[in-house]
Amino acid sequence: MALRRSPSSTCAESWNNGVGFRRVATALSESSSIQSDALYHLTRDMSGMGLDPLSYSSLEPEPYKYETWTEESQSLLQVVGSPSNSQGYGEGLYFSDGRRKVDYVLVFHQRRHSSLRSPASASISQDRLSVVSNGNFPPSVGSDVAAGRGGGMPGRESACVGEVFMELGFAGGNESLEPADHEMRLIRQEFEASLQEAGLEIERDREIKSHGPSFTRLHAPWPVLCREAEFLKIRVPTKTSYELKEESSFGSSMSTIWRKLNRPFQPKVPHQEQGLTKFLSHSFSREKLHLYNITSKETFFDNTTRGRIVYEILRRTVCVRTCQTIGISTLIAKGVYDAAFPLHDGDYRVIGDFEERNDRQLLHEEWARYSAFYKYQPIDLIRKYFGEKIGLYFAWLGVYTQLLIPASIVGIIVFCYGVATVDTNIPSLEMCDAHLNFTMCPLCDGACDFWHLSTACGTARASHLFDNPATVFFAIFMSLWAVLFLEHWKRRQVSLSFNWGLTGTEEDEEHPRPKYETILLQKRQRKQKSKKKKKKSESPIDKLTWKDRLPGYFINVSSILFMFGLTFSAVFSVIIYRITVSALMAMSPDPAIKSNVRVTVSATAVIINLVVILILDEIYGTVAMWLTELEIPKTETNFEERLILKAFLLKFMNAYAPIFYVAFFKGRFAGRPGNYTYVFNNYRMEECAPGGCLIELCIQLSIIMLGKQLIQNNVFEIGIPKLKKLVRALKDKGSAEKEKEEEKPPQQWNLDYALVAFEGLTPEYMEMIIQFGFVSLFVASFPLAPLFALLNNVIEIRLDAKKFVTELRRPVAIRAKDIGIWYNILSGMGKFSVIINAFVISFTSDFIPRLVYQYMYSPNGTMHGFIDHTLSYFNVSNFKPGTAPNSLEDKDITFCRYKDYREPPWSPDAYQFSKQYWCVLAARLAFVILFQNLVMFLSLVVAWVIPDVPKNIVEQLKREKKLLVDVFLREEKEKFQLIQSLFAKDNAFQPGSNVFQQAQGVPTPGRSSTLPLGQTQALVGDGGGAPRARCRAASFSQFTRKTPSPPRKENENSRHTAV
């Protein structure tokens, strides 16, 4: 027989002389031959030898402690690790008693060490003998035991009273845990003891695994739920309800018709169907339980709320002695626990009765299926299951997708207008007319020959599809659309906040992040060391200052500048690729290659740009996370906001830098024939196509937008998670087959632990924000962008839904009233899009040059002669040596044409900018100013006309406030009447009480009384030496609720919070 030593003992080796352990738990009744006093002395002797009387909490906690001896012995006389009766587990959502819900799960890994026992003895588990007394130990046992151990952990003394653990068998010399694992175990014991002190109930695995995950399940009893719900000010529905007013007007009749038309598109979800009856909601209070419609204590708080309450307890629970940190997030960061999560509501597949579906199955059937793409989202059910923050994301995504429908329709109309008018567009017809015989200057030096403008007919016709007068209207429309979208979302957000009971709620208090806490602790320790050396008394350190963050800020600024340089370098590299490949292909003797230079170079360059953008996107996401950690934000909200700003800034530059180059820089610095700008002294800067740069901008935007969406959705969001899951399944296949026969069917916590951890909504929002930029910033060059965004979002909603329901662990419900900093980013992009579209129309398209020609230079007010007006002359004799075409001597060509507004060679100011150039430039700048101010003014008008809060919400808020006041006044009136009736009965049995009251002038309790009821009652009962009648206490709480006596079988840890 070997007794288990305390880790603080100095002679541990003398007890390790065996090969295995067997753990037996024995329960003793009051009639047992072993008395409590003997066990007490045995415990004191063991503690004096340095032995550790282990806590009974290491066994399966039993829900009822006052059982008969037979039942208790049957539950305790078992070998831990043997198959236990799994009856009562249900679907794996309850404790072993089948009654208490599993509200949260903590997971830690048992590590396999190569230095452990031999394979022959590896299957023998470490077992202990638990001797549980009848509870008659002297009160000083816990302190004596702690003293014998050299100190105990908080919360363990009570657990050690009345029980002694002894280890049977012989422990091998290699059985001791590694120091790090032993420290982790001590931290877990202290943390879980603190959770029990907070009122939570804990259940652990019956089997002790030598390696692999071990699960600790937590349950919050009703008193704890009530206490925390009151602290968190959770709003719950009351018994009072009211009927919503249904206006009998034209608008209401139209809304009724619209609801009937929308009925086939509504999901078949009970929570989605809102009638005309609404229940008042009020912040939970234990003093007002009678106001709430509590039909069942088990279902009054749903699983999401229960998980949130337990998470709040986990987040603030202190673990001082062993780790000096706060909260479960810190413990996970330190590796004490591997994961912590609430459970899903069972399997997402419907098995059995189709009508008895849980919330997860409803979401899977009505939301997370691609076949439900035409239906609205069950936003209320999403919020009920995942919490307000995730519910707001999907509500925002739904509003954004819905409003893309009118934008897509208008974009299709604009595109169809371009298709219908392409055959009547005079500039396109002139470019395609071979009889006009515009001989153009060579596209490269030496190898390239003169060419005719009519060969670019296809480019000119394609350019008209997107560069036509309707494009200006569409740009104005999309700028106003962005404002309408934001205003509509504000109203929708207020409605959701009201319906979800978030109106008037305060922000939850946030605890410091693990990294912040660790660095602050290190700073305090350094301060203490220096204080001891200097022997000075200084104020304690309670926060980090800017000096502590200065190195992080410096690295942030330098790294972001480096990333900007990397982005510009990537864009410049693609430019060099285009220039060199164009020159090489132009030198080819093959006519087919020469004729397809522009198409080949443009297509390959855009694909290279797309690949670079996707690679840098992933790099920038990781770098933004690292840079934000260096700033040491204090709370998760600060961390998230800083991460979002950095990631958005880097990804915005990465995605739009190539597009900005094509829109505003390509062809602007190419020079002119005879005076071109060269790169590396050999290669000419590239020019725009004969049809203009707008068609190239359209190609660039469409390929990057579509490729980014398709690859990110299909490869990154679908392919990579499935690949990781396949690799994990193949990795675990061998061990799973060996243990398949021995293991029980997996419980819900096993299934949820195998899912992917939820890492936040930042990637989801970021993807949609970048897409919003494609839709709004350069929409003047690609009217079909809203259509492709709409098609993508229809798939994206169902893809994200499937991921949340089937592939991710259930996230903790986070209360949020808005989408936070994302709204500010959207608003900023909406304003920025007005400026960008104004410059695209003015400087990238030919809209302004056409207007200037038609109204200032056209002989007859039409567009005839526009192409000739935009082409300048160049004398071929002015070519620099070595730059003229090789075939120049064989051809009789004196002048060639190039696209620019410059003086002809015969002018005194040859090749200088002409008067037409300055007129067009002035018109372009004037259009930018006019367009920007007009759209901004209209946006302000739209924002002013549309109120942020819907009128019906304002009326309901006023009505609910009035009804709540009436409810509380009625309650106070009933209390007062009840107190009056009690005093009347007391005075009726007390002789001469009326005389005494009249003589002494003591006021009768009523509305005119200014004395507290307790004082009034005391005066009434002490008159004239008469025997005082025993009156009931006149506190309001006695009449608002009836405090039941705690049952004998109630958990002792939660009695202090009994309601």
Side-chain angles (χ1 to χ4, degrees):
M1 172 176 175
L3 297 177
R4 185 180 183 274
R5 294 190 53 76
S6 171
S8 62
S9 178
T10 59
C11 52
E13 292 81 2
S14 62
W15 301 99
N16 296 331
N17 53 7
V19 294
F21 296 94
R22 181 65 60 188
R23 177 176 171 180
V24 181
T26 307
L28 302 177
S29 69
E30 295 183 1
S31 60
S32 174
S33 59
I34 302 178
Q35 298 299 321
S36 300
D37 189 61
L39 286 175
Y40 166 63
H41 290 294
L42 176 60
T43 306
R44 180 154 45 179
D45 294 339
M46 291 166 58
S47 62
M49 294 184 290
L51 298 173
D52 183 9
L54 298 178
S55 171
Y56 177 61
S57 62
S58 61
L59 285 175
E60 172 76 34
E62 297 299 325
Y64 304 107
K65 296 189 176 181
Y66 299 97
E67 297 178 348
T68 62
W69 181 87
T70 305
E71 295 173 346
E72 188 172 344
S73 62
Q74 288 177 354
S75 62
L76 291 176
L77 281 172
Q78 55 181 320
V79 177
V80 177
S82 62
S84 58
N85 184 14
S86 61
Q87 186 178 3
Y89 272 80
E91 298 180 355
L93 303 175
Y94 293 86
F95 277 14
S96 57
D97 57 9
R99 300 180 182 179
R100 293 174 292 174
K101 284 185 178 179
V102 178
D103 296 322
Y104 222 87
V105 176
L106 306 179
V107 188
F108 63 92
H109 264 278
Q110 298 282 3
R111 300 179 183 177
R112 182 188 303 195
H113 303 289
S114 58
S115 61
L116 289 180
R117 45 196 171 200
S118 61
S121 61
S123 61
I124 304 177
S125 60
Q126 179 180 346
D127 300 318
R128 295 189 293 268
L129 170 65
S130 173
V131 183
V132 185
S133 80
N134 58 2
N136 294 325
F137 270 12
S140 60
V141 172
S143 59
D144 291 342
V145 172
R149 294 180 54 226
M153 291 184 296
R156 288 196 61 185
E157 288 79 6
S158 61
C160 297
V161 173
E163 52 185 339
V164 179
F165 284 80
M166 294 175 289
E167 294 175 347
L168 302 179
F170 301 96
N174 294 329
E175 270 305 311
S176 61
L177 293 174
E178 291 187 358
D181 294 339
H182 180 69
E183 179 70 16
M184 297 295 183
R185 184 169 62 85
L186 291 178
I187 295 174
R188 285 194 293 269
Q189 287 179 356
E190 180 184 353
F191 183 70
E192 292 173 12
S194 301
L195 294 180
Q196 287 180 318
E197 286 185 357
L200 296 181
E201 297 174 2
I202 297 178
E203 180 182 68
R204 299 175 181 85
D205 287 338
R206 293 177 181 270
E207 297 84 358
I208 298 179
K209 300 179 180 179
S210 60
H211 66 278
S214 296
F215 299 91
T216 301
R217 296 169 288 281
L218 306 178
H219 167 77
W222 171 255
V224 175
L225 293 174
C226 294
R227 180 191 72 205
E228 298 297 325
E230 185 172 353
F231 291 164
L232 297 174
K233 298 181 181 179
I234 295 176
R235 296 180 71 91
V236 294
T238 63
K239 296 178 182 178
T240 307
S241 62
Y242 65 94
E243 297 292 330
L244 297 176
K245 291 182 180 180
E246 190 171 6
E247 300 179 358
S248 57
S249 61
F250 177 75
S252 62
S253 60
M254 291 299 296
S255 62
T256 303
I257 296 173
W258 179 251
R259 281 197 299 268
K260 290 181 179 179
L261 294 176
N262 269 340
R263 192 165 297 170
F265 305 101
Q266 297 293 334
K268 298 178 182 178
V269 176
H271 306 280
Q272 194 78 2
E273 299 174 1
Q274 297 180 354
L276 297 177
T277 303
K278 191 177 189 303
F279 287 88
L280 292 178
S281 62
H282 187 261
S283 297
F284 186 86
S285 173
R286 287 173 287 180
E287 298 291 332
K288 302 184 182 299
L289 288 178
H290 61 284
L291 293 178
Y292 312 125
N293 190 16
I294 306 176
T295 58
S296 172
K297 294 181 180 180
E298 297 298 324
T299 59
F300 181 71
F301 295 107
D302 56 27
N303 293 340
T304 304
T305 306
R306 296 174 72 100
R308 179 181 164 216
I309 287 174
V310 175
Y311 175 72
E312 289 296 327
I313 298 175
L314 292 172
R315 194 175 67 167
R316 69 167 185 259
T317 299
V318 181
C319 188
V320 178
R321 183 179 300 274
T322 51
C323 59
Q324 298 181 348
T325 52
I326 294 178
I328 187 64
S329 58
T330 307
L331 297 181
I332 293 176
K334 287 180 174 291
V336 178
Y337 288 100
D338 185 60
F341 52 87
L343 291 180
H344 278 293
D345 291 354
D347 195 358
Y348 62 86
R349 291 178 287 266
V350 179
I351 302 174
D353 191 359
F354 192 77
E355 298 297 329
E356 298 179 358
R357 295 177 292 176
N358 58 41
D359 289 345
R360 191 184 186 192
Q361 292 168 347
L362 281 171
L363 288 172
H364 182 258
E365 293 294 322
E366 298 295 332
W367 180 50
R369 299 170 70 95
Y370 292 108
S371 58
F373 72 93
Y374 63 93
K375 292 185 177 181
Y376 289 95
Q377 299 182 88
I379 296 298
D380 291 333
L381 184 58
I382 297 170
R383 172 254 178 182
K384 177 176 179 289
Y385 193 81
F386 293 109
E388 287 82 3
K389 191 170 185 178
I390 295 176
L392 281 174
Y393 163 70
F394 282 104
W396 173 83
L397 184 56
V399 169
Y400 172 48
T401 305
Q402 288 176 15
L403 288 182
L404 281 174
I405 296 175
S408 302
I409 293 173
V410 176
I412 294 173
I413 293 173
V414 170
F415 180 76
C416 292
Y417 171 82
V419 173
T421 58
V422 69
D423 292 329
T424 59
N425 182 44
I426 296 175
S428 299
L429 294 176
E430 288 184 351
M431 287 186 66
C432 295
D433 190 358
H435 299 288
L436 293 177
N437 194 19
F438 291 114
T439 302
M440 307 298 294
C441 294
L443 298 175
C444 65
D445 294 339
C448 298
D449 199 356
F450 298 102
W451 57 284
H452 293 287
L453 186 60
S454 58
T455 57
C457 177
T459 306
R461 292 173 62 87
S463 179
H464 178 74
L465 300 177
F466 305 101
D467 187 5
N468 54 68
T471 305
V472 180
F473 161 75
F474 187 61
I476 298 175
F477 170 81
M478 288 303 297
S479 299
L480 297 178
W481 173 88
V483 178
L484 285 170
F485 162 59
L486 293 176
E487 292 298 321
H488 180 63
W489 168 244
K490 279 198 291 188
R491 292 169 59 86
R492 175 68 169 155
Q493 191 171 252
V494 170
S495 299
L496 291 175
S497 180
F498 172 74
N499 293 332
W500 294 348
L502 299 175
T503 305
T505 57
E506 300 175 357
E507 295 293 334
D508 294 336
E509 181 184 357
E510 290 194 81
H511 295 284
R513 298 181 66 249
K515 182 75 175 293
Y516 179 90
E517 198 177 38
T518 302
I519 295 178
L520 182 61
L521 178 61
Q522 293 172 356
K523 183 179 179 182
R524 287 172 179 169
Q525 291 174 347
R526 290 194 301 267
K527 198 78 171 179
Q528 289 176 358
K529 291 180 181 178
S530 62
K531 191 188 300 182
K532 289 179 181 178
K533 293 180 180 179
K534 298 179 181 179
K535 296 181 180 181
K536 293 181 179 180
S537 59
E538 298 179 4
S539 58
I541 301 173
D542 57 349
K543 64 179 181 179
L544 298 178
T545 62
W546 65 270
K547 295 180 181 179
D548 302 308
R549 297 186 171 96
L550 187 59
Y553 291 151
F554 177 77
I555 296 175
N556 265 264
V557 173
S558 57
S559 299
I560 290 176
L561 292 177
F562 172 76
M563 294 300 164
F564 283 174
L566 181 61
T567 302
F568 295 144
S569 300
V571 174
F572 185 71
S573 300
V574 176
I575 294 172
I576 298 300
Y577 164 81
R578 296 166 64 111
I579 293 172
T580 55
V581 173
S582 298
L584 292 174
M585 292 184 68
M587 296 177 187
S588 174
D590 190 354
I593 296 178
K594 281 188 175 184
S595 61
N596 296 318
V597 170
R598 286 189 178 276
V599 176
T600 306
V601 171
S602 298
T604 55
V606 172
I607 293 173
I608 293 173
N609 265 328
L610 175 62
V611 173
V612 171
I613 287 172
L614 293 176
I615 294 173
L616 290 181
D617 239 12
E618 299 302 314
I619 295 175
Y620 287 166
T622 306
V623 170
M625 182 77 70
W626 174 67
L627 292 177
T628 309
E629 288 286 358
L630 291 179
E631 290 187 14
I632 324 173
K634 184 175 182 179
T635 62
E636 286 294 338
T637 300
N638 292 337
F639 178 84
E640 188 176 279
E641 289 180 353
R642 298 185 184 194
L643 174 63
I644 288 170
L645 285 176
K646 289 183 187 60
F648 172 74
L649 191 61
L650 293 173
K651 293 190 175 185
F652 180 88
M653 290 296 298
N654 181 42
Y656 295 113
I659 301 174
F660 270 95
Y661 165 73
V662 174
F664 303 120
F665 298 101
K666 185 178 180 181
R668 309 290 175 187
F669 312 102
R672 59 172 179 81
N675 190 22
Y676 283 113
T677 305
Y678 290 89
V679 180
F680 303 127
N681 296 324
N682 291 319
Y683 301 103
R684 274 169 43 181
M685 284 292 293
E686 58 180 347
E687 304 175 62
C688 289
C693 281
L694 193 69
I695 185 61
E696 294 190 36
L697 177 61
C698 174
I699 295 172
Q700 185 98 1
L701 181 66
S702 59
I703 293 180
I704 290 178
M705 177 182 177
L706 296 178
K708 199 171 185 297
Q709 290 180 350
L710 291 175
I711 293 177
Q712 282 191 336
N713 287 348
N714 296 319
V715 177
F716 292 166
E717 292 194 23
I718 300 177
I720 291 180
K722 288 187 179 297
L723 185 61
K724 289 181 179 179
K725 191 174 181 180
L726 179 62
V727 171
R728 189 167 59 245
L730 293 175
K731 190 176 180 181
D732 299 338
K733 187 176 181 181
S735 59
E737 289 179 353
K738 294 179 182 178
E739 301 174 0
K740 189 174 181 180
E741 297 179 358
E742 302 176 3
E743 287 188 355
K744 300 180 296 183
Q747 299 294 338
Q748 188 62 44
W749 46 84
N750 297 97
L751 299 174
D752 285 6
Y753 180 64
L755 299 176
V756 180
F758 174 68
E759 297 180 352
L761 291 169
T762 300
E764 313 298 335
Y765 272 116
M766 189 65 69
E767 182 184 347
M768 291 295 104
I769 294 296
I770 296 297
Q771 184 203 84
F772 180 78
F774 285 126
V775 169
S776 59
L777 291 181
F778 296 96
V779 73
S781 63
F782 189 42
L784 296 180
L787 175 63
F788 289 111
L790 173 64
L791 298 176
N792 173 80
N793 288 5
V794 169
I795 301 173
E796 179 73 18
I797 290 175
R798 307 304 161 179
L799 177 66
D800 286 346
K802 189 176 183 64
K803 181 171 65 176
F804 272 86
V805 174
T806 65
E807 298 176 6
L808 295 180
R809 295 175 194 161
R810 188 172 188 172
V812 179
I814 300 176
R815 185 163 56 182
K817 295 188 291 185
D818 50 45
I819 60 175
I821 195 174
W822 296 110
Y823 181 84
N824 298 330
I825 293 176
L826 285 169
S827 179
M829 290 187 70
K831 294 178 174 60
F832 189 50
S833 67
V834 177
I835 302 173
I836 294 297
N837 281 307
F839 276 94
V840 167
I841 294 172
S842 296
F843 289 90
T844 310
S845 74
D846 284 338
F847 176 74
I848 298 300
R850 288 172 190 159
L851 289 180
V852 171
Y853 174 77
Q854 185 173 1
Y855 293 104
M856 292 183 65
Y857 297 103
S858 176
N860 51 9
T862 63
M863 293 302 296
H864 290 285
F866 172 73
I867 298 299
D868 183 58
H869 177 76
T870 59
L871 296 178
S872 300
Y873 288 89
F874 177 76
N875 193 334
V876 296
S877 62
N878 293 333
F879 276 120
K880 289 183 179 180
T883 61
N886 298 328
S887 60
L888 178 60
E889 298 178 358
D890 301 332
K891 296 184 178 180
D892 185 17
I893 298 177
T894 307
F895 297 100
C896 64
R897 309 293 293 271
Y898 62 99
K899 189 172 183 180
D900 205 347
Y901 291 99
R902 291 182 181 270
E903 296 290 343
W906 55 83
S907 172
D909 300 323
Y911 305 126
Q912 298 298 318
F913 287 117
S914 63
K915 181 181 177 181
Q916 290 86 346
Y917 170 83
W918 300 109
C919 290
V920 170
L921 180 61
R924 283 172 166 169
L925 294 176
F927 178 83
V928 169
I929 296 173
L930 178 63
F931 182 90
Q932 178 181 342
N933 286 278
L934 175 63
V935 174
M936 289 293 185
F937 173 75
L938 294 177
S939 301
L940 290 175
V941 170
V942 170
W944 177 73
V945 169
I946 302 176
D948 293 344
V949 183
K951 184 179 178 181
N952 61 330
I953 298 297
V954 175
E955 294 177 353
Q956 288 186 46
L957 281 171
K958 293 179 181 178
R959 189 176 182 188
E960 286 197 1
K961 186 176 180 180
K962 182 178 181 299
L963 289 174
L964 279 175
V965 171
D966 292 343
V967 168
F968 291 137
L969 287 177
R970 191 183 310 115
E971 180 190 3
E972 295 297 322
K973 185 177 181 181
E974 293 174 357
K975 291 179 189 176
F976 177 72
Q977 292 175 353
L978 180 59
I979 293 171
Q980 271 192 330
S981 63
L982 289 174
F983 277 114
K985 290 180 181 179
D986 290 339
N987 293 335
F989 289 102
Q990 182 176 353
S993 60
N994 292 333
V995 177
F996 170 76
Q997 287 184 6
Q998 294 172 2
Q1000 300 294 332
V1002 177
T1004 304
R1007 292 190 180 273
S1008 61
S1009 174
T1010 59
L1011 288 175
L1013 292 175
Q1015 297 179 16
T1016 306
Q1017 180 183 349
L1019 290 173
V1020 172
D1022 293 338
R1028 186 177 66 176
R1030 298 186 61 185
C1031 300
R1032 296 181 62 187
S1035 63
F1036 282 160
S1037 61
Q1038 207 169 14
F1039 304 105
T1040 58
R1041 57 185 173 92
K1042 182 178 180 182
T1043 305
S1045 59
R1048 290 179 57 83
K1049 299 182 181 180
E1050 187 180 7
N1051 190 325
E1052 293 180 358
N1053 292 325
S1054 58
R1055 286 185 183 176
H1056 66 283
T1057 58
V1059 179

